[in-house]
Amino acid sequence: MTSSTRDAATDQPLDFDRDPGAASGELVRLSPLVRRLIAGNGGPMTFTGTCSYIVGRGRIAIIDPGPDDPAHVERLLAAIAGETVTDIVITHTHRDHSPASRALKAATGARIVGCGLHRPARELVLGEINPLDAAADKDYAPDLVMAENDAVSGPGWTLQALETPGHTANHLAFALPEENTLFSGDHVMAWSTSIVAPPDGSMVAYMASIEKLRGRDDRLYWPGHGGPVREPQRFLRGLVQHRRLREAAILSRMQAGDETIAEMVPPIYQELPTALRGAASLSVLAQLEDLVARGVVLCDDEAPMLTSRYRLA
C-alpha cells in the first residue's frame, strides 16, 4: 500500500512504501553484507517494528538492536550463532532503538558505539513540558561516541558515521561504502515521514540533514522501520516538497484566522487518526519554530510552545 506526495523536481507522485514485507522475527538476507531482523514492536509510530541490521559475516556489527525485549534479543543471538559481534551500533536513543544494546552487550561482550547520550535540540522554556520525555532511553551507555566520519569496521565491511540531527539531536546515519548504501535510522524512511518533535527534535536541523544527504550518491537506504528507500535522491526531493507544502498549509490556516496549534491540526490533518493528533501537533510546532526563527511568524511567548498563540509577521 502506498500514498503520495509530489517530487519537487519532476512533479511526479512520490510513493510511500507501506508494504509490510517480512514479518517480525523473520531473519532476511538483504544483500551479501546485510541481514535484517524486525522486532515485535509494531505500532502507529514504528510501522511493522524496529529493523535490527546484522552487518558482515563472522565478525559482525548489529545496528539498532531495538527495544528492551528479551525475545527479540534471543532471536538476534540465535541469528548470529557461531559469529562474533564486535560492535553494537546505535543511530539514536529512542526506546524502540537502543535499550536492547545493554542485554546484547552482556550476552556477547561487544562494545556499544554510535550516537552520544540523549539530549534535547533546545532547552525547555518556562512552563513547557516535554511530551515525549518517556520515549528517550536515558540509560543508554555507549563505550564509544562516534562523530562525523568516524568509522568501525570488520572483515569486508565499514560503517562510517554521518551526523543527521533533526528527528533527535543525537541522530546518526551510517554509510556502508562496500555496498554504497546508508543505514538511515529514523531520519529517512520509505513508509512515512519522520516525526520531528521539539524540544528533542528540530525542523531546522532536520532540513539541513536532508540537504546533507542530497549531496551524497548512496544507491539505497536501509531505514529504522519499514522497507528500503530505493531511489534516495528522488525521495529526498519529495520530502523537501512535503515540508514546503506543510509549511504552506500552516500559513494558510493562519491567514484564515487560526492562532493556535490546536486550531490548525484538525483541518491540516483531516484524515489522520485521532490517536496521532498529538504527534501531528508536535510536527506543526517544529514547523512553527522554523517560521518564527525566520521571522515569517510571530509568537506571543518567549519561545514557540504547543500552547502558544501565533500570528503572521
Side-chain angles (χ1 to χ4, degrees), residues 159-192:
L159 293 173
Q160 185 175 41
L162 283 80
E163 295 179 357
T164 49
H167 175 66
T168 60
N170 64 348
H171 195 286
L172 297 178
F174 292 91
L176 179 64
E178 290 83 358
E179 294 188 343
N180 194 26
T181 55
L182 183 79
F183 296 94
S184 56
D186 281 7
H187 182 55
V188 180
M189 300 177 288
W191 77 283
S192 175

Side-chain angles (χ1 to χ4, degrees), residues 111-179:
R111 61 181 180 171
I112 299 171
V113 306
C115 67
L117 299 179
H118 196 85
R119 65 183 189 274
R122 61 163 175 80
E123 296 302 319
L124 291 171
V125 299
L126 184 65
E128 185 182 22
I129 62 169
N130 183 351
L132 291 182
D133 194 52
D137 178 12
K138 296 181 179 178
D139 294 323
Y140 171 69
D143 297 297
L144 173 67
V145 174
M146 299 175 69
E148 183 78 9
N149 293 323
D150 287 347
V152 293
S153 61
W157 60 266
T158 309
L159 293 173
Q160 185 175 41
L162 283 80
E163 295 179 357
T164 49
H167 175 66
T168 60
N170 64 348
H171 195 286
L172 297 178
F174 292 91
L176 179 64
E178 290 83 358
E179 294 188 343

Side-chain angles (χ1 to χ4, degrees), residues 170-307:
N170 64 348
H171 195 286
L172 297 178
F174 292 91
L176 179 64
E178 290 83 358
E179 294 188 343
N180 194 26
T181 55
L182 183 79
F183 296 94
S184 56
D186 281 7
H187 182 55
V188 180
M189 300 177 288
W191 77 283
S192 175
T193 56
S194 177
I195 183 172
V196 179
D200 289 354
S202 162
M203 185 60 67
V204 173
Y206 170 83
M207 296 304 294
S209 295
I210 291 290
E211 290 303 316
K212 181 178 184 176
L213 294 188
R214 291 181 72 181
R216 296 176 54 84
D217 65 351
D218 307 286
R219 66 175 181 83
L220 189 77
Y221 292 173
W222 298 117
H225 305 276
V229 178
R230 299 186 185 279
E231 297 180 76
Q233 288 302 318
R234 182 173 184 266
F235 198 82
L236 291 170
R237 290 195 302 270
L239 289 178
V240 171
Q241 178 72 345
H242 172 83
R243 294 298 178 181
R244 288 173 179 163
L245 292 171
R246 186 69 72 224
E247 178 180 294
I250 291 169
L251 294 175
S252 176
R253 292 312 311 167
M254 296 182 72
Q255 289 168 349
D258 291 352
E259 295 183 343
T260 67
I261 291 173
E263 291 173 316
M264 297 177 200
V265 167
I268 293 175
Y269 294 87
Q270 294 182 22
E271 299 180 2
L272 193 71
T274 303
L276 296 179
R277 289 282 174 89
S281 296
L282 289 167
S283 290
V284 171
L285 174 60
Q287 298 267 184
L288 284 165
E289 280 190 341
D290 184 25
L291 288 165
V292 170
R294 287 156 46 197
V296 178
V297 169
L298 301 177
C299 172
D300 286 351
D301 290 309
E302 174 188 353
M305 297 189 292
L306 284 170
T307 55

Side-chain angles (χ1 to χ4, degrees), residues 33-63:
L33 286 175
V34 180
R35 290 165 278 174
R36 183 187 63 201
L37 189 68
I38 301 174
N41 62 332
M45 303 297 290
T46 56
F47 193 39
T48 58
T50 302
C51 295
S52 297
Y53 294 100
I54 303 167
V55 180
R57 287 173 172 261
R59 293 181 63 81
I60 62 175
I62 294 179
I63 299 174

Side-chain angles (χ1 to χ4, degrees), residues 15-37:
D15 291 331
F16 289 100
D17 185 355
R18 295 186 176 133
D19 183 343
S24 64
E26 179 184 353
L27 181 67
V28 177
R29 178 166 290 282
L30 303 173
S31 74
L33 286 175
V34 180
R35 290 165 278 174
R36 183 187 63 201
L37 189 68

